[in-house]
Short mmCIF file of all heavy atoms in Angstrom, two decimals:
data_model
loop_
_atom_site.label_atom_id
_atom_site.label_comp_id
_atom_site.label_asym_id
_atom_site.label_seq_id
_atom_site.Cartn_x
_atom_site.Cartn_y
_atom_site.Cartn_z
N SER B 182 36.83 6.98 -0.22
CA SER B 182 35.59 7.45 -0.83
C SER B 182 34.98 6.38 -1.72
O SER B 182 33.77 6.15 -1.69
CB SER B 182 35.86 8.72 -1.63
OG SER B 182 34.70 9.15 -2.29
N ASP B 183 35.83 5.71 -2.50
CA ASP B 183 35.34 4.66 -3.38
C ASP B 183 34.76 3.50 -2.58
O ASP B 183 33.72 2.93 -2.93
CB ASP B 183 36.46 4.14 -4.28
CG ASP B 183 36.79 5.11 -5.41
OD1 ASP B 183 36.06 6.11 -5.54
OD2 ASP B 183 37.75 4.85 -6.15
N LEU B 184 35.43 3.12 -1.48
CA LEU B 184 34.94 2.03 -0.65
C LEU B 184 33.59 2.39 -0.03
O LEU B 184 32.67 1.57 -0.01
CB LEU B 184 35.96 1.73 0.45
CG LEU B 184 35.57 0.61 1.43
CD1 LEU B 184 35.36 -0.70 0.68
CD2 LEU B 184 36.64 0.47 2.51
N ARG B 185 33.47 3.62 0.47
CA ARG B 185 32.21 4.06 1.06
C ARG B 185 31.10 4.04 0.00
O ARG B 185 29.98 3.58 0.26
CB ARG B 185 32.36 5.46 1.65
CG ARG B 185 31.11 5.94 2.39
CD ARG B 185 31.30 7.35 2.96
NE ARG B 185 32.36 7.39 3.96
CZ ARG B 185 33.51 8.03 3.79
NH1 ARG B 185 33.75 8.68 2.66
NH2 ARG B 185 34.42 8.03 4.74
N SER B 186 31.42 4.52 -1.20
CA SER B 186 30.42 4.53 -2.27
C SER B 186 30.00 3.11 -2.63
O SER B 186 28.82 2.84 -2.87
CB SER B 186 30.98 5.23 -3.52
OG SER B 186 31.27 6.57 -3.25
N ALA B 187 30.98 2.19 -2.65
CA ALA B 187 30.68 0.80 -2.98
C ALA B 187 29.77 0.19 -1.93
O ALA B 187 28.84 -0.56 -2.25
CB ALA B 187 31.97 0.00 -3.10
N MET B 188 30.02 0.49 -0.65
CA MET B 188 29.19 -0.05 0.43
C MET B 188 27.77 0.48 0.35
O MET B 188 26.80 -0.27 0.53
CB MET B 188 29.82 0.29 1.78
CG MET B 188 31.14 -0.44 2.04
SD MET B 188 31.95 0.14 3.55
CE MET B 188 30.78 -0.37 4.80
N ILE B 189 27.64 1.77 0.07
CA ILE B 189 26.31 2.37 -0.08
C ILE B 189 25.58 1.75 -1.27
O ILE B 189 24.40 1.40 -1.19
CB ILE B 189 26.41 3.90 -0.24
CG1 ILE B 189 26.94 4.53 1.05
CG2 ILE B 189 25.06 4.50 -0.63
CD1 ILE B 189 27.26 6.00 0.91
N GLU B 190 26.31 1.59 -2.38
CA GLU B 190 25.72 1.02 -3.58
C GLU B 190 25.27 -0.42 -3.33
O GLU B 190 24.19 -0.83 -3.74
CB GLU B 190 26.75 1.06 -4.71
CG GLU B 190 26.23 0.64 -6.07
CD GLU B 190 25.50 1.75 -6.78
OE1 GLU B 190 25.47 2.88 -6.25
OE2 GLU B 190 24.94 1.50 -7.85
N ASP B 191 26.09 -1.17 -2.62
CA ASP B 191 25.77 -2.57 -2.35
C ASP B 191 24.56 -2.67 -1.42
O ASP B 191 23.69 -3.53 -1.61
CB ASP B 191 26.98 -3.27 -1.72
CG ASP B 191 26.76 -4.76 -1.59
OD1 ASP B 191 26.48 -5.42 -2.61
OD2 ASP B 191 26.84 -5.27 -0.45
N ASP B 192 24.49 -1.80 -0.43
CA ASP B 192 23.35 -1.82 0.49
C ASP B 192 22.05 -1.48 -0.25
O ASP B 192 21.02 -2.15 -0.05
CB ASP B 192 23.58 -0.82 1.62
CG ASP B 192 22.40 -0.76 2.58
OD1 ASP B 192 22.13 -1.76 3.25
OD2 ASP B 192 21.74 0.30 2.64
N GLN B 193 22.11 -0.47 -1.10
CA GLN B 193 20.91 -0.11 -1.87
C GLN B 193 20.52 -1.24 -2.82
O GLN B 193 19.34 -1.55 -2.98
CB GLN B 193 21.14 1.17 -2.67
CG GLN B 193 19.89 1.64 -3.40
CD GLN B 193 20.14 2.83 -4.30
OE1 GLN B 193 21.03 2.79 -5.14
NE2 GLN B 193 19.35 3.88 -4.13
N ALA B 194 21.54 -1.88 -3.43
CA ALA B 194 21.26 -2.99 -4.35
C ALA B 194 20.56 -4.13 -3.61
O ALA B 194 19.64 -4.77 -4.15
CB ALA B 194 22.55 -3.47 -5.00
#
Side-chain angles (χ1 to χ4, degrees):
S182 177
D183 284 354
L184 179 60
R185 185 181 297 112
S186 297
M188 291 173 65
I189 293 172
E190 187 81 4
D191 187 56
D192 178 65
Q193 185 186 53

